[in-house]
Amino acid sequence: MGMAVGPQKGPKSEINVTPLVDVVLVLLIIFMVVTPMLQRGKDVKLPQAERVDEESKGADPLILSVTLEKTVWVENDPYDDAGLAERLSRELGAQPGRKVLVKGDQRLTFGDVRKVMETARRSGAKSVSLAVEELKERSRR
C-alpha cells in the first residue's frame, strides 16, 4: 500500500463505515428490546396441532393465558377466579363482539383450560378460541 505525499486532488475514495456500524448496532439493540414486547399474554408452551385455522384479520382478540401453575393471566395481569370473571365482563362489556383467545400450557389437563373457557363464555364472550402451535412438516410422522 502506497501513501500519497503532498496534497491530494479529487475526492477521497475510501468509505467511512463507522457511522454505518453505529446505526446497525442501534437498530439491533432496538429490535432486541422491542421483540419480546410484541408477544402478548404470558409465555406458555402451546399444544401442537397438524391442522390450524387461518387467523382472522378482524378485531384484536383478548388474550387469556393459563400457565403450568394454573395461574390465569389476562394480557399481562394475573387474576384469580373472581377477578377473572369481573375483568372479562368489563372488557367484553366495552367491546361486545371481541374474540377471546385462550393460551393454555400443553402440560395442563383439558379440564383446567375448559374452566377458563367456561368463565369467558359466562362473562359474555361470543367466540372463544384455543391457541395452538402448528406442527412443522418435517416433524410429522
Side-chain angles (χ1 to χ4, degrees), residues 9 17-18 38 50 65 70 93 95 97 109:
K9 295 182 180 166
V17 295
T18 304
L38 294 177
E50 289 183 16
S65 304
K70 300 179 184 175
Q95 296 176 332
T109 64

Side-chain angles (χ1 to χ4, degrees), residues 36-91:
M37 291 183 219
L38 294 177
Q39 180 182 358
R40 294 180 49 210
K42 195 72 174 162
D43 189 24
V44 295
K45 186 171 180 167
L46 295 175
Q48 296 181 339
E50 289 183 16
R51 294 185 331 145
V52 178
D53 293 340
E54 294 295 321
E55 291 183 30
S56 62
K57 301 296 180 196
D60 202 20
L62 183 63
I63 308 290
L64 302 181
S65 304
V66 186
T67 62
L68 185 58
E69 297 80 27
K70 300 179 184 175
T71 305
V72 181
W73 297 73
V74 178
E75 298 294 339
N76 291 322
D77 302 321
Y79 286 92
D80 59 357
D81 290 338
L84 174 65
E86 180 183 326
R87 167 81 186 263
L88 289 175
S89 296
R90 188 173 61 245
E91 290 280 341

Side-chain angles (χ1 to χ4, degrees), residues 66 102 104-105 108-118 130:
V66 186
V102 179
D105 196 289
L108 291 171
T109 64
F110 185 71
D112 296 328
V113 178
R114 184 174 173 93
K115 187 171 90 172
V116 174
M117 293 173 69
E118 288 174 358
L130 286 174

